[in-house]
Structure formats: C-alpha cells, structure tokens
C-alpha cells in the first residue's frame, strides 16, 4: 500500500488528475487495471492497463466519474461506497459493467479505501472474460462428448437391423409377381437405396472410432501442402490458397492421415462456402501456422502449442447453426451430412488439442491448437 499512499498524497496535491510521476510508473507495469477515484467518484488516476480496459486515456478519463462510464453503475457504486465506509479492508466482487454500444465488461473488482481523509478509493479490476471463456469451452467439450457417445450408440443400433431390411427387400423383389414386377420394383428399390444411404451415414458416424490412431512424426506443413493440392485439384480456377507458414515450427507426434482429413474437411467446407467468389475469381483460403506459448488445452497447460488457422473470405457460417456446427448431423448445405466438422473435432481431441471457430461475413477462421513437444 506504500505506493498507493504516495499516489493518494500526490492526488491531494494535484487538483484533478494525478500526474504520472515516477511513483506511479510502477503501476503501469501491472497487468491488472488500477483506478483511483476521489470522494466525488471522479477518476484521479488510471494505470496503463486501466486505460486499455476503458479504451481511453487518463487525460480523458480524469474529467469523468468512473460510474458514468457504465449504464448499470449501481452495483459498482455500492462496492466503492462500502469500501469508503471502511466496512471491509478490501472488498471483492464479480461485476458485469454494461457499456453503451459496446460489449459488457466482466471484471473481478477489488476495492480498497485509502488511509487518507480525502475518501479516495483504489480499485483493482481484472477481466474475467478469459476465465469465462475457459469455463464455456470446458462445458462445450463435456457436452459434445456426451452427444457423440449418444450418436455412436444410436448408430450401432441402426446399423444392425439395416442389413436385415435391405436383404428382405432383395428377397421380396425376387418374389414379385411378373405381372406387376416393374411397378412394385420401384418400391423395393426405394427401400434398398434408402437402406444404402443410411448405411453410408452410419459408417461415417462410426468411422473415427474404428480406425486405429497411428502415431508418427508429423510436419504440419506437409499436411497443409497435401490438403492444398487436393483442394486445388478440385477447384483449379478462381480459388487461391495462401500459405502463411512459420517455418520454425517443430515436428510433433501425431496421426498424419487424421490431421490431413481434419484440415481437408475444414478447407473443403471453406471452398464450398466460397462457390460464389470462386466464380468471380477472388475466393481465398489462408493456411496460417504459428507457435502459441503458455496455453491451456482441454484443462491441461502446455508451454508450446501449434496455432493453426484456416481462414476464408466467404459469406460466413449461417447464424442459425453457428453454435452447433461441431455437432453431428448439423449442416447448412443442401446435401450436406453434417459430419465433416464432427470428425475434424474428434481427431483434434484425439491429439489433445482444441478446435474453435470465429465467423462473420467475409471472414471465417477455424483455429486448431495442438500441443507441441
Ligand atoms: N468455412 C465455412 N463457411 C461457411 N459455412 C461453413 C464453413 N464451414 C462450415 N460451414 C457450415 O457448417 C456446416 C457443417 O459443416 P460440416 O462439414 O460439419 O458438414 P457438411 O459440410 O454440411 O457435410 P459433410 O459431412 O459432407 O462435410 C456446413 O454445412 C456449412 O453450413
Ligand atoms: Mg463439410
């Protein structure tokens, strides 16, 4: 609290905002946002992290009351008032601060009254978005595992009688009276064709769990180059695939074929979504690789991770399915079976990684993070 006491003294000395002196320079090194409000609730000081969080400079902030920045100030004012009343030495609370025309700010706020007669209160604000994002990812992961288990069991149940249905329709076809053969054969053919279609679907649903996971040394750029040539073979004109590779990426242990399938499914979706732009000749998919440091993937912390992005400039994922694209059988395409991304997600999980997606018109980014040695 020593620095803070000095700050408060400086605050008392200066009319209005506290100038950024040597004493305060240290606070700019903090990752937490620090704001000091005076007895009137006006901002007397904001460190660099606070300026960043509030997207304004100290100079601009110092003319305002902190609570006026938010459209739901009551809770926040209460925290400050409580701290000022010295009811607690410091007061901690999770707050959601609503900002006009912006997304709300989720913060963990710690308010401490400063031991001065002026009634200054020091607020430390830490964004909890990161934590909330992690919680959400964890929830989605559990949910998708439960869903996949359910679908897999269901697929098994459907698979068994399918063979019987198809066989019986074939036998029936052989027994059809010659007189009505053509007419009735149409019906048995519907049964046989639909049984075959279901069979293919069920096989795809069960596929990722059938093939053994074959592990070897994988160079991610070889994977990407393979996918690039496959996609370009299918779309020889009007589609550019841009490579933005970090050549320093190390090899890692993984199943190369699975990773090719993963990237291919994502790139294939992108190419399909780009159909309109392929025609006008400015369709673009970017493969971008980077190293990420200190990341948490599926609850485990890694020092290094591969950060792969597959970005396209297509129309974006239809909003009505955006939250569900990784679920099986969810498709926004005519004739799509909605399994490509489910498979991609399963393979990424088998590599202890995570896959996420950000999409808006003109920019869709599938991001895959995989642990590196
Ligand atoms: N890059 C993208 N741009 C726009 N929409 C996308 C993109 N990637 C996926 N989608 C949407 O997500 C849906 C689900 O994709 P997914 O690959 O799982 O299934 P699918 O492509 O419909 O069928 P398939 O099983 O043949 O791959 C797609 O139908 C499409 O609507
Ligand atoms: Mg697909």
């Amino acid at each position: 609290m020593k620095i803070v006491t000095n700050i408060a003294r400086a605050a008392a000395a200066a009319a209005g905002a506290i100038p950024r002196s040597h004493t305060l320079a240290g606070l700019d090194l903090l990752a937490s946002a620090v704001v000091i409000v005076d007895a009137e609730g006006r901002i007397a000081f904001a460190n660099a992290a606070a300026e960043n969080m509030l997207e304004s400079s100290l100079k601009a902030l110092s003319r305002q009351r902190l609570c006026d920045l938010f459209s739901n100030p009551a809770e926040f004012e209460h925290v400050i008032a409580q701290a000022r009343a010295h009811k607690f030495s410091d007061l901690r609370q999770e707050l959601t601060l609503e900002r006009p025309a912006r997304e709300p700010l989720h913060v963990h706020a710690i308010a401490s009254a400063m031991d001065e007669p002026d009634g200054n209160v020091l607020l430390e604000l830490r964004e909890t978005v990161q934590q909330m994002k992690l919680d959400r990812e964890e929830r989605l992961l559990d949910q998708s595992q439960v869903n996949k288990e359910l679908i897999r069991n269901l697929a098994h149940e459907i698979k068994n009688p399918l063979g019987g249905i198809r066989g019986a329709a074939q036998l029936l076809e052989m027994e059809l009276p010659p007189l009505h053969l053509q007419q009735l054969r149409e019906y048995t053919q519907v049964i046989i064709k639909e049984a075959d279609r279901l069979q293919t679907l069920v096989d795809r649903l069960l596929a990722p769990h059938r093939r053994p996971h074959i592990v070897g040394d994988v160079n991610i750029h070889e994977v990407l180059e393979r996918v690039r040539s496959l996609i370009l073979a299918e779309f020889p004109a009007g589609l550019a695939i841009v490579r933005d590779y970090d050549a320093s990426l190390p090899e890692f242990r993984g199943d190369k074929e699975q990773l090719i399938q993963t990237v291919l499914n994502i790139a294939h979706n992108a190419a399909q979504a780009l159909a309109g732009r392929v025609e006008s000749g400015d369709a673009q998919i970017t493969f971008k690789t980077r190293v990420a440091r200190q990341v948490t993937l599926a609850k485990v912390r890694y020092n290094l991770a591969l950060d792969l992005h597959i970005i396209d400039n297509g129309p974006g994922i239809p909003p009505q399915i955006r939250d569900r694209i990784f679920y099986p059988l969810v498709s926004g395409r005519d004739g799509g079976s909605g399994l490509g991304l489910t498979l991609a997600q399963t393979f990424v999980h088998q590599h202890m990684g995570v896959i996420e997606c950000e999409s808006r018109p003109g920019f869709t980014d599938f991001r895959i993070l995989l642990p590196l040695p």
Side-chain angles (χ1 to χ4, degrees):
M1 235 357 127
K2 185 85 186 125
I3 305 175
V4 170
T5 314
N6 288 339
I7 299 167
R9 241 171 243 133
I18 303 178
R20 234 189 200 96
S21 64
H22 305 316
T23 344
L24 301 178
L27 289 178
D28 283 336
L29 299 175
L30 291 180
S32 306
V34 176
V35 179
I36 298 173
V37 294
D38 66 14
E40 276 82 52
R42 274 194 302 267
I43 298 171
F45 173 77
N47 72 344
E51 288 179 314
N52 225 343
M53 180 187 280
L54 301 169
E55 294 170 23
S56 188
S57 68
L58 172 59
K59 202 167 160 216
L61 287 169
S62 60
R63 290 182 225 114
Q64 305 189 52
R65 292 186 69 245
L66 179 62
C67 289
D68 289 348
L69 300 176
F70 308 106
S71 43
N72 62 335
E75 251 185 296
F76 203 18
E77 273 167 348
H78 181 70
V79 171
I80 296 171
Q82 292 266 327
R84 188 169 288 132
H86 285 275
K87 292 220 169 118
F88 308 95
S89 58
D90 67 25
L91 193 69
R92 293 159 181 268
Q93 200 159 334
E94 302 298 329
L95 295 173
T96 299
L97 302 168
E98 309 276 350
R99 300 182 286 182
R102 291 243 280 295
E103 75 288 7
L105 203 58
H106 302 281
V107 292
H108 179 72
I110 307 171
S112 320
M114 296 166 73
D115 41 354
E116 304 291 322
D118 333 323
N120 286 355
V121 171
L122 179 121
L123 289 158
E124 198 184 329
L125 304 172
R126 281 186 215 147
E127 276 199 81
T128 45
V129 170
Q130 202 56 29
Q131 189 55 44
M132 285 170 67
K133 197 171 159 237
L134 283 178
D135 289 350
R136 185 169 171 270
E137 270 167 15
E138 229 168 74
R139 247 191 350 265
L140 284 179
L141 200 69
D142 291 345
Q143 212 177 48
S144 88
Q145 245 132 27
V146 171
N147 279 334
K148 273 186 207 142
E149 189 84 359
L150 179 78
I151 297 266
R152 205 158 66 236
N153 292 338
L154 199 62
H156 266 296
E157 288 305 311
I158 294 173
K159 195 173 166 57
N160 295 335
L162 261 184
I165 293 173
R166 192 185 196 282
Q170 274 175 321
L171 286 177
L172 185 63
E173 205 170 272
M174 289 195 280
E175 300 297 325
L176 291 176
L179 192 60
H180 300 293
L181 181 65
Q182 271 322 313
Q183 199 185 348
L184 295 179
R185 208 169 157 264
E186 261 178 45
Y187 299 135
T188 50
Q189 279 301 310
V190 169
I191 300 175
I192 292 168
K193 285 218 183 81
E194 289 300 296
D196 285 346
R197 199 172 63 83
L198 266 180
Q199 182 74 43
T200 316
L201 181 72
V202 163
D203 284 343
R204 281 192 71 196
L205 277 170
L206 295 171
H209 310 279
R210 284 241 185 86
R211 209 179 134 263
H213 190 61
I214 303 161
V215 173
D217 284 329
V218 179
N219 175 335
I220 193 63
H221 299 127
E222 279 175 19
V223 169
L224 295 175
E225 286 300 297
R226 254 286 273 298
V227 174
R228 185 172 183 270
S229 54
L230 287 170
I231 295 279
L232 287 180
E234 196 181 344
F235 298 84
L239 173 67
I241 300 186
V242 177
R243 298 115 132 177
D244 179 1
Y245 295 164
D246 178 345
S248 72
L249 268 164
E251 289 193 345
F252 59 95
R253 303 287 291 168
D255 184 327
K256 189 172 173 188
E257 290 305 317
Q258 275 192 358
L259 291 169
I260 290 174
Q261 189 67 57
T262 301
V263 180
L264 185 62
N265 286 3
I266 297 170
H268 205 235
N269 283 345
Q272 282 166 337
L274 282 165
R277 289 202 146 199
V278 168
E279 262 173 41
S280 54
D282 63 350
Q284 186 171 308
I285 299 178
T286 305
F287 291 162
K288 179 171 141 187
T289 57
R290 291 292 183 268
V291 174
R293 286 168 207 284
Q294 305 300 333
V295 290
T296 304
L297 307 176
K299 304 182 204 173
V300 184
R301 186 132 186 101
Y302 297 95
N303 288 335
L304 277 188
L306 158 68
D307 188 4
L308 165 66
H309 294 257
I310 298 142
I311 303 167
D312 70 74
N313 63 350
I317 294 165
Q320 63 276 20
I321 59 166
R322 206 163 281 174
D323 293 337
R324 299 177 289 127
I325 44 168
F326 292 109
Y327 290 179
L329 310 180
V330 171
S331 174
R333 246 176 357 99
D334 279 347
S337 56
L339 288 176
L341 290 176
T342 310
L343 205 62
Q345 190 189 46
T346 304
F347 289 155
V348 169
H349 288 170
Q350 284 181 0
H351 284 83
M352 317 314 283
V354 298
I355 178 168
E356 53 194 32
C357 170
E358 187 192 330
S359 180
R360 54 179 182 266
F363 179 86
T364 299
D365 178 5
F366 279 86
R367 181 185 195 201
I368 294 175
L369 284 156
L370 297 179
L372 285 178

